[in-house]
Amino acid sequence: MAGGKADNSKSKANTKGKEKEVKKETKLGLSVKKDDNFGEWYSEVVVNGEMIEYYDISGCYILRPWTMSIWEVMQAFFDAEIKKMNIKNCYFPLFVSPGVLQREKDHIEGFAPEVAWVTKSGNSDLDVPIAIRPTSETVMYPYYSKWIRGHRDLPLKLNQWCNVVRWEFSNPTPFIRSREFLWQEGHTAFASKTEADAEVLEILELYRRVYEEFLAVPVIKGQKSELEKFAGGLYTTSVEAFIPNSGRGIQGATSHCLGQNFAKMFEINFEDDKGEKAMVWQNSWAYSTRTIGVMVMVHGDDKGLVLPPKVAALQIIVTPVPYKDANTQAILDTCAATVSTLNAAGFRAEADLRDNYSPGWKYSHWEMKGVPLRLEIGPKDLEKKQVRAVRRDNFAKTDIAIDGLVEKVKEMLDDIQQSLFNSAKLKRDACVVVAKTWGEFAEALGQKKLILAPWCNEEEVEKDVKARTKGDMGAAKSLCSPFDQPELPEDTLCFASGKPAKKWTYWGRSY
Ligand code: 87F
């Protein structure tokens, strides 16, 4: 059964002399193992973990509260950080007129098939079809042109939290590739390139922190190749994650320096401090609900989701373990009191006091949903003034004295957060292979590795790598040239062309 809920068949049980309806319990769990069929495992875990519900339009998914609360935690962090940078929130319309969309036709060309259009209202055709934003450059920049007049209007730094629509055609995947998704998009304009360059990196660091500090997913910061950068911009930086199970890299978020390309197209000019006409320097940057899919893929296991405590909607689930002759009410009261203590201390805790599910069923249920810590309270615990803690990440069990509960729980959640990151990093690092020749590269690619290779940095060579690795699994491409460059001895040659290498670059198949 998909949802992991009890079905409707009812049996009667007599508890404390009162007739109660007890739902028959159904089996929880996943029908496949993560290492056996990763794709199937993923689809099951996002549904059974109650993050996603499939929708009747392909590529569209319902984001359930369990998902939205994760998104809101990341949003609260990122939003507060960009406000410190004096970036303001705004909201532009969802619809784009065809005229402005065409104004950046050069770079939109490749994207055009993904743009969705509204052509009717009721039964009548619209005079002019209206596009739905796939991103908001063309929506926003005409107004940047209007609002920016002099150097005192700069910098202009806006962000919006919104949905976008990209009508993808290849295998839609919840969070990872959906036709509508949520993101923030930042669009900033500066008087100088120096300021723009600095902001690109400042934002990229926030993206690193979203992944590493919140989602406990290790990422690599670096620069995209000319082939993989946003064609409308000057250069693109990104954080790149890796999914060991599929052997694919995944672009986690991007921070672009647009240079003056859009300023030219949209005539975003200003009078500089010397009274001369100048063009602005622009950036744009975004991260999306894709982040959540990466987190699920990296941490989930055969029992379901594994949520890092910092983003989990619920950090602690308290379950009573009543026994036949025990004082059930005292156990339930202790559970409730424990939850109050934890909530008062700032944790997100709840008790599962439902009397129509057994403790075992509840364990499986909350394990499926990935709650980081479970506290069990039974008669023995009551007697000893303790609770039993069970960690979701490694199932380690510890008895904690009620006295020092808050401190101990804090310690454990911090430790879970750190352990998730550490083991994800160990696993990711174990997938990295240094390849100096085509032979080594091809072998590593066959083993689904994340490949670090010396490269001549030539576009033609990257195209050639793509052509030579084409196949059912998709071609290999460059993921990024890490900012953190290992030493490159002078006589090092490119793994693909044999020409002198210019930099170390990560390569692999990707999402
Ligand atoms: C799909 C359809 C139309 C990506 C598209 O990365 C246009 C586009 O411009 C498109 N898919 N892009 C590139 C988006 C670039 C940039 N936009 C602002 C970002 C960050 C946020």
Coordinates of all heavy atoms in Angstrom, one line a residue, residues 101 104 107-116 132-137 140-141 165-168 181 183-187 207 230-232 236 251 253-256 258 262 283-287, ligand 1:
L101 N 9.8 38.8 -24.5 CA 10.4 37.5 -24.5 C 11.4 37.4 -25.7 O 12.5 36.9 -25.6 CB 9.4 36.4 -24.6 CG 9.9 35.0 -24.2 CD1 10.3 35.0 -22.7 CD2 8.8 34.0 -24.4
E104 N 15.3 39.0 -26.1 CA 16.5 38.3 -25.8 C 16.6 37.0 -26.6 O 17.0 36.0 -26.1 CB 16.7 38.1 -24.3 CG 15.6 37.4 -23.6 CD 16.1 36.5 -22.4 OE1 17.2 36.6 -22.0 OE2 15.3 35.7 -21.9
H107 N 19.6 34.2 -26.8 CA 19.9 33.1 -25.8 C 18.6 32.3 -25.5 O 18.7 31.2 -25.1 CB 20.5 33.7 -24.5 CG 19.5 33.9 -23.4 ND1 19.0 35.1 -23.2 CD2 19.0 33.0 -22.5 CE1 18.1 35.0 -22.2 NE2 18.2 33.7 -21.7
I108 N 17.4 32.9 -25.8 CA 16.2 32.2 -25.5 C 16.0 31.0 -26.5 O 15.3 30.1 -26.3 CB 15.0 33.1 -25.5 CG1 13.9 32.6 -24.6 CG2 14.4 33.4 -26.9 CD1 13.8 33.3 -23.3
E109 N 16.6 31.2 -27.7 CA 16.4 30.2 -28.8 C 16.4 28.8 -28.3 O 15.5 28.0 -28.6 CB 17.5 30.5 -29.8 CG 17.0 30.4 -31.3 CD 18.0 31.0 -32.2 OE1 19.2 30.6 -32.2 OE2 17.6 31.9 -33.0
G110 N 17.5 28.4 -27.6 CA 17.6 27.0 -27.2 C 16.5 26.6 -26.2 O 16.2 25.5 -26.1
F111 N 16.0 27.6 -25.5 CA 15.0 27.3 -24.4 C 13.6 27.4 -24.9 O 12.7 26.9 -24.2 CB 15.2 28.4 -23.3 CG 16.5 28.4 -22.5 CD1 17.2 29.5 -22.4 CD2 16.9 27.2 -21.9 CE1 18.4 29.5 -21.7 CE2 18.1 27.2 -21.2 CZ 18.8 28.3 -21.1
A112 N 13.4 27.9 -26.1 CA 12.0 28.2 -26.6 C 11.1 27.0 -26.5 O 9.9 27.2 -26.1 CB 12.1 28.7 -28.1
P113 N 11.5 25.8 -26.8 CA 10.6 24.6 -26.7 C 10.0 24.4 -25.3 O 9.0 23.8 -25.2 CB 11.4 23.4 -27.2 CG 12.6 24.0 -27.8 CD 12.8 25.3 -27.3
E114 N 10.7 24.9 -24.3 CA 10.2 24.7 -22.9 C 9.3 25.8 -22.4 O 8.8 25.7 -21.3 CB 11.5 24.7 -22.0 CG 12.3 23.4 -22.1 CD 13.5 23.4 -21.2 OE1 13.5 24.3 -20.2 OE2 14.4 22.6 -21.4
V115 N 9.1 26.8 -23.3 CA 8.2 27.9 -22.8 C 6.7 27.5 -23.0 O 6.3 27.1 -24.1 CB 8.5 29.2 -23.5 CG1 7.5 30.3 -23.1 CG2 10.0 29.6 -23.3
A116 N 5.9 27.6 -21.9 CA 4.5 27.3 -22.0 C 3.7 28.6 -22.3 O 4.1 29.7 -21.8 CB 4.0 26.7 -20.7
I132 N 4.2 32.0 -20.0 CA 4.4 31.8 -18.6 C 5.9 31.8 -18.2 O 6.6 31.1 -18.9 CB 3.7 30.5 -18.1 CG1 2.2 30.5 -18.5 CG2 3.9 30.3 -16.6 CD1 1.5 29.2 -18.2
R133 N 6.3 32.6 -17.2 CA 7.7 32.8 -17.0 C 8.4 31.5 -16.8 O 8.0 30.7 -15.9 CB 7.9 33.7 -15.8 CG 7.5 33.1 -14.5 CD 7.8 33.9 -13.2 NE 7.0 33.4 -12.1 CZ 6.3 34.2 -11.3 NH1 6.3 35.5 -11.4 NH2 5.6 33.7 -10.4
P134 N 9.5 31.3 -17.5 CA 10.4 30.2 -17.2 C 11.6 30.6 -16.4 O 12.4 29.9 -15.8 CB 10.9 29.8 -18.6 CG 10.8 31.0 -19.4 CD 9.8 31.9 -18.8
T135 N 11.7 32.0 -16.2 CA 12.7 32.7 -15.5 C 12.3 34.2 -15.8 O 11.5 34.4 -16.7 CB 14.1 32.4 -16.0 OG1 15.1 33.2 -15.3 CG2 14.3 32.6 -17.5
S136 N 12.8 35.1 -15.0 CA 12.2 36.5 -15.1 C 13.0 37.6 -15.7 O 12.7 38.8 -15.6 CB 11.6 36.9 -13.8 OG 10.7 35.9 -13.4
E137 N 14.1 37.3 -16.4 CA 15.0 38.4 -17.0 C 14.1 39.3 -17.8 O 14.1 40.5 -17.6 CB 16.1 37.8 -17.9 CG 17.3 37.2 -17.1 CD 17.0 35.8 -16.6 OE1 15.9 35.3 -16.7 OE2 18.0 35.2 -16.1
M140 N 11.6 41.4 -15.8 CA 12.0 42.4 -14.9 C 12.9 43.5 -15.5 O 12.8 44.7 -15.1 CB 12.9 41.8 -13.8 CG 12.1 40.8 -13.0 SD 13.1 39.7 -11.9 CE 13.2 40.8 -10.5
Y141 N 13.7 43.2 -16.5 CA 14.7 44.1 -17.0 C 14.1 45.4 -17.7 O 14.8 46.5 -17.6 CB 15.8 43.4 -17.8 CG 16.6 42.4 -16.9 CD1 17.4 41.5 -17.5 CD2 16.4 42.4 -15.5 CE1 18.1 40.6 -16.8 CE2 17.1 41.4 -14.8 CZ 18.0 40.5 -15.4 OH 18.7 39.6 -14.7
V165 N 7.7 27.9 -14.7 CA 7.2 26.8 -15.5 C 8.2 26.5 -16.7 O 8.5 27.5 -17.4 CB 5.8 27.0 -16.0 CG1 5.4 25.9 -17.1 CG2 4.8 27.0 -14.9
R166 N 8.7 25.3 -16.8 CA 9.5 24.9 -17.9 C 9.0 23.6 -18.4 O 9.1 22.6 -17.7 CB 11.0 24.8 -17.5 CG 11.6 26.1 -17.1 CD 13.1 26.0 -16.7 NE 13.6 27.3 -16.3 CZ 14.7 27.5 -15.7 NH1 15.6 26.5 -15.6 NH2 15.1 28.7 -15.3
W167 N 8.5 23.6 -19.6 CA 7.8 22.4 -20.1 C 8.8 21.4 -20.6 O 9.1 21.2 -21.8 CB 6.8 22.8 -21.2 CG 5.6 21.9 -21.1 CD1 5.3 20.9 -22.0 CD2 4.6 21.9 -20.1 NE1 4.1 20.3 -21.6 CE2 3.7 20.9 -20.4 CE3 4.4 22.7 -19.0 CZ2 2.6 20.6 -19.6 CZ3 3.3 22.4 -18.2 CH2 2.4 21.3 -18.5
E168 N 9.4 20.7 -19.6 CA 10.4 19.7 -19.9 C 9.8 18.5 -20.6 O 8.7 18.1 -20.4 CB 11.0 19.1 -18.6 CG 11.5 20.2 -17.6 CD 13.0 20.5 -17.9 OE1 13.6 19.9 -18.8 OE2 13.5 21.4 -17.2
F181 N 8.2 24.6 -10.7 CA 8.9 24.4 -9.5 C 9.0 25.8 -8.7 O 8.7 26.8 -9.3 CB 10.3 23.8 -9.7 CG 11.2 24.5 -10.6 CD1 12.0 25.6 -10.2 CD2 11.3 24.1 -12.0 CE1 12.8 26.3 -11.1 CE2 12.1 24.8 -12.9 CZ 12.9 25.8 -12.5
W183 N 11.3 28.5 -6.6 CA 12.7 29.0 -6.4 C 12.7 30.4 -5.9 O 11.6 31.0 -5.7 CB 13.5 28.9 -7.8 CG 13.2 29.9 -8.8 CD1 12.2 30.8 -8.8 CD2 13.9 30.0 -10.1 NE1 12.3 31.6 -10.0 CE2 13.3 31.1 -10.8 CE3 15.0 29.4 -10.7 CZ2 13.8 31.5 -12.0 CZ3 15.4 29.8 -11.9 CH2 14.8 30.9 -12.6
Q184 N 13.9 30.9 -5.7 CA 14.1 32.3 -5.5 C 14.9 32.7 -6.7 O 15.8 32.0 -7.1 CB 14.7 32.7 -4.2 CG 16.1 32.2 -3.8 CD 17.2 32.6 -4.7 OE1 18.1 31.8 -5.0 NE2 17.2 33.9 -5.1
E185 N 14.7 33.9 -7.3 CA 15.5 34.4 -8.3 C 16.0 35.8 -7.9 O 15.1 36.7 -7.7 CB 14.9 34.3 -9.7 CG 13.5 34.9 -9.9 CD 13.0 34.9 -11.3 OE1 13.8 35.1 -12.3 OE2 11.8 34.6 -11.5
G186 N 17.3 36.0 -7.9 CA 17.8 37.3 -7.5 C 18.3 38.0 -8.8 O 18.9 37.3 -9.7
H187 N 18.1 39.2 -8.9 CA 18.5 40.0 -10.1 C 19.0 41.3 -9.6 O 18.3 42.1 -9.1 CB 17.3 40.2 -11.1 CG 16.8 39.0 -11.7 ND1 17.2 38.5 -12.9 CD2 15.9 38.1 -11.2 CE1 16.5 37.4 -13.1 NE2 15.7 37.1 -12.1
Y207 N 24.6 29.6 -1.0 CA 24.1 28.3 -1.5 C 24.9 27.1 -0.9 O 24.3 26.1 -0.6 CB 24.2 28.3 -3.1 CG 23.2 29.3 -3.8 CD1 23.6 29.9 -5.0 CD2 22.0 29.6 -3.2 CE1 22.7 30.8 -5.6 CE2 21.1 30.5 -3.8 CZ 21.5 31.0 -5.0 OH 20.6 31.9 -5.6
F230 N 25.3 29.8 -18.4 CA 24.1 30.4 -19.0 C 24.6 31.3 -20.2 O 25.4 32.2 -20.0 CB 23.5 31.3 -17.8 CG 22.4 32.1 -18.3 CD1 21.4 31.7 -19.2 CD2 22.2 33.4 -17.7 CE1 20.4 32.5 -19.6 CE2 21.1 34.2 -18.0 CZ 20.2 33.7 -19.0
A231 N 24.0 30.9 -21.3 CA 24.5 31.6 -22.6 C 24.3 33.1 -22.6 O 25.0 33.8 -23.2 CB 23.8 30.9 -23.7
G232 N 23.3 33.6 -21.8 CA 23.0 35.0 -21.8 C 24.0 35.8 -20.9 O 24.0 37.0 -20.9
T236 N 29.3 31.8 -15.3 CA 28.4 31.1 -14.3 C 29.2 30.4 -13.3 O 30.1 29.6 -13.6 CB 27.5 30.1 -15.1 OG1 26.6 30.8 -16.0 CG2 26.6 29.3 -14.1
Q251 N 23.6 19.9 -10.7 CA 23.8 21.3 -10.4 C 22.9 21.7 -9.3 O 21.7 21.6 -9.4 CB 23.6 22.1 -11.7 CG 23.8 23.6 -11.6 CD 23.6 24.2 -12.9 OE1 24.5 24.1 -13.8 NE2 22.5 24.9 -13.1
A253 N 22.7 24.8 -7.6 CA 22.3 26.2 -7.6 C 23.3 27.0 -8.4 O 24.5 26.6 -8.6 CB 22.2 26.8 -6.2
T254 N 22.9 28.1 -9.0 CA 23.8 28.9 -9.9 C 23.8 30.3 -9.5 O 22.8 30.9 -9.1 CB 23.4 28.8 -11.4 OG1 22.0 29.1 -11.5 CG2 23.7 27.4 -11.9
S255 N 24.9 30.9 -9.6 CA 25.1 32.4 -9.4 C 25.9 32.9 -10.6 O 27.0 32.6 -10.8 CB 25.9 32.6 -8.1 OG 26.0 34.0 -7.8
H256 N 25.2 33.7 -11.4 CA 25.7 34.2 -12.7 C 26.2 35.6 -12.6 O 25.5 36.5 -12.0 CB 24.7 34.2 -13.8 CG 23.9 32.9 -14.0 ND1 24.4 31.8 -14.6 CD2 22.7 32.6 -13.6 CE1 23.5 30.8 -14.6 NE2 22.4 31.3 -13.9
L258 N 26.2 38.4 -15.2 CA 25.6 38.6 -16.6 C 26.4 39.5 -17.4 O 26.2 39.7 -18.6 CB 24.1 39.0 -16.5 CG 23.2 38.2 -15.7 CD1 21.8 38.8 -15.6 CD2 23.1 36.8 -16.3
F262 N 22.6 41.9 -20.9 CA 21.2 42.3 -20.8 C 21.1 43.8 -20.7 O 20.1 44.4 -21.2 CB 20.6 41.6 -19.5 CG 20.3 40.2 -19.7 CD1 21.3 39.2 -19.4 CD2 19.1 39.7 -20.3 CE1 21.0 37.9 -19.6 CE2 18.9 38.4 -20.5 CZ 19.9 37.5 -20.2
N283 N 23.9 40.7 -12.2 CA 24.0 39.3 -11.8 C 22.6 38.7 -11.7 O 21.7 39.4 -11.6 CB 24.6 39.2 -10.4 CG 26.0 39.6 -10.3 OD1 26.8 39.6 -11.3 ND2 26.5 40.0 -9.1
S284 N 22.5 37.4 -11.8 CA 21.3 36.7 -11.5 C 21.7 35.4 -10.8 O 22.7 34.8 -11.1 CB 20.4 36.5 -12.6 OG 20.8 35.5 -13.5
W285 N 20.8 34.9 -9.9 CA 21.2 33.7 -9.1 C 19.9 33.1 -8.6 O 18.9 33.8 -8.4 CB 22.1 34.1 -8.0 CG 22.0 35.5 -7.4 CD1 22.7 36.6 -7.9 CD2 21.1 36.0 -6.4 NE1 22.3 37.7 -7.2 CE2 21.4 37.4 -6.2 CE3 20.2 35.4 -5.6 CZ2 20.7 38.2 -5.3 CZ3 19.5 36.2 -4.6 CH2 19.8 37.6 -4.5
A286 N 19.9 31.8 -8.5 CA 18.7 31.0 -8.1 C 19.1 29.7 -7.5 O 20.1 29.1 -7.8 CB 17.8 30.8 -9.3
Y287 N 18.2 29.3 -6.5 CA 18.2 27.9 -6.1 C 16.7 27.5 -6.0 O 15.8 28.4 -5.8 CB 18.9 27.6 -4.8 CG 18.2 28.0 -3.5 CD1 17.5 27.0 -2.8 CD2 18.3 29.3 -3.0 CE1 16.9 27.3 -1.6 CE2 17.7 29.6 -1.8 CZ 16.9 28.6 -1.1 OH 16.3 28.9 0.1
Ligands
87F1 C1 13.9 27.8 -20.0 C2 13.0 28.5 -20.9 C3 13.3 29.8 -21.2 C4 16.9 28.4 -18.2 C5 15.0 28.4 -19.5 O1 19.9 30.5 -13.8 C6 14.4 30.4 -20.7 C7 15.2 29.8 -19.8 O2 16.7 31.6 -19.5 C8 16.4 30.4 -19.3 N1 15.8 27.8 -18.7 N2 17.2 29.7 -18.5 C9 18.3 30.2 -17.8 C10 18.0 30.9 -16.5 C11 19.1 31.8 -16.1 C12 19.0 32.5 -14.8 N3 17.8 33.2 -14.5 C13 17.6 33.8 -13.3 C14 19.3 31.6 -13.6 C15 19.2 32.2 -12.3 C16 17.9 32.9 -12.1

